[in-house]
Amino acid sequence: MSVKIENQEYSLYTLFQHHIWSNDRVFDACLNLDHEQLQYASAGTYGSIKATLAHLVSAQEAFLWILIKQDAKDDRRANAEMSLDELKTRVQQCDALLLQVATSTESETMVEYRTSDEQMGTLPAMYVLLQAIHHGHEHRTHVTSMLGQLRIDPPVLSFWAYYEEQTAS
């Protein structure tokens, strides 16, 4: 079955608004964690809570750099040595730019990227945008699972919760 989306820009806008909202909620839930809690890791997740959040930000920066055709240098990417406040600031900056790119990129736009074996490849920009959403969701889920294991109520990040919060105001 194929579904035709009449307004692709609005669809991507909504997806990225939820993505931004979810990032904010996860970072806010972690800002008051102590060092030991931030270092908590669980089997089946990327790494510790802090390492996972740093990875989420670093990957978003890399996705953005692919989309805006800027060479990504590893020394400029987010890392787990940064404070949680700095990581939150960086993810917010990146989120705002990703939203701009998502709503201004034509569906047929192709971008170049460096493959895992350091070759250059091309793919549709929309795939990079969708990967940013998927990747963020995956690692936010890791963090919320670890928060739950620490007996800390994780934020609810569903589209239902997002919709209810947006329509309540």
Side-chain angles (χ1 to χ4, degrees):
M1 180 169 111
S2 175
V3 176
K4 183 177 183 201
I5 297 174
E6 293 297 326
N7 189 338
Q8 179 178 327
E9 181 177 313
Y10 178 75
S11 298
L12 283 173
Y13 177 82
T14 303
L15 287 171
F16 272 93
Q17 283 295 96
H18 174 263
H19 176 78
I20 292 166
W21 174 85
S22 297
N23 281 342
D24 283 344
R25 290 180 58 107
V26 164
F27 272 88
D28 287 347
C30 295
L31 285 175
N32 292 323
L33 299 180
D34 62 32
H35 177 76
E36 185 178 312
Q37 290 168 320
L38 286 171
Q39 297 310 310
Y40 180 78
S42 177
T45 64
Y46 174 83
S48 71
I49 290 172
K50 182 143 185 229
T52 302
L53 292 171
H55 171 72
L56 184 153
V57 178
S58 176
Q60 280 204 180
E61 290 172 338
F63 299 142
L64 180 63
W65 291 334
I66 290 169
L67 292 163
I68 63 173
K69 298 172 179 57
Q70 180 178 338
D71 189 28
K73 300 206 184 319
D74 285 340
D75 61 337
R76 292 191 358 235
R77 287 175 57 185
N79 62 67
E81 302 304 313
M82 295 177 174
S83 73
L84 212 53
D85 286 324
E86 185 174 1
L87 290 171
K88 182 178 179 183
T89 297
R90 287 180 78 141
V91 81
Q92 288 174 328
Q93 292 168 343
C94 193
D95 282 343
L97 291 171
L98 277 171
L99 179 62
Q100 284 180 350
V101 171
T103 57
S104 64
T105 299
E106 299 293 326
S107 60
E108 66 277 355
T109 301
M110 300 293 286
V111 293
E112 290 186 340
Y113 73 105
R114 192 170 306 280
T115 64
S116 57
D117 62 354
E118 295 300 312
Q119 302 299 310
M120 292 306 291
T122 59
L123 77 161
M126 290 299 152
Y127 282 51
V128 179
L129 291 165
L130 292 173
Q131 178 60 19
I133 288 181
H134 167 74
H135 185 265
H137 173 77
E138 179 176 8
H139 290 301
R140 287 188 302 266
T141 299
H142 289 176
V143 172
T144 58
S145 293
M146 289 186 280
L147 289 173
Q149 291 167 6
L150 289 170
R151 306 238 187 274
I152 297 168
D153 287 334
V156 177
L157 304 177
S158 70
F159 276 102
W160 301 122
Y162 171 73
Y163 176 77
E164 288 174 5
E165 186 175 301
Q166 298 308 304
T167 56
S169 50

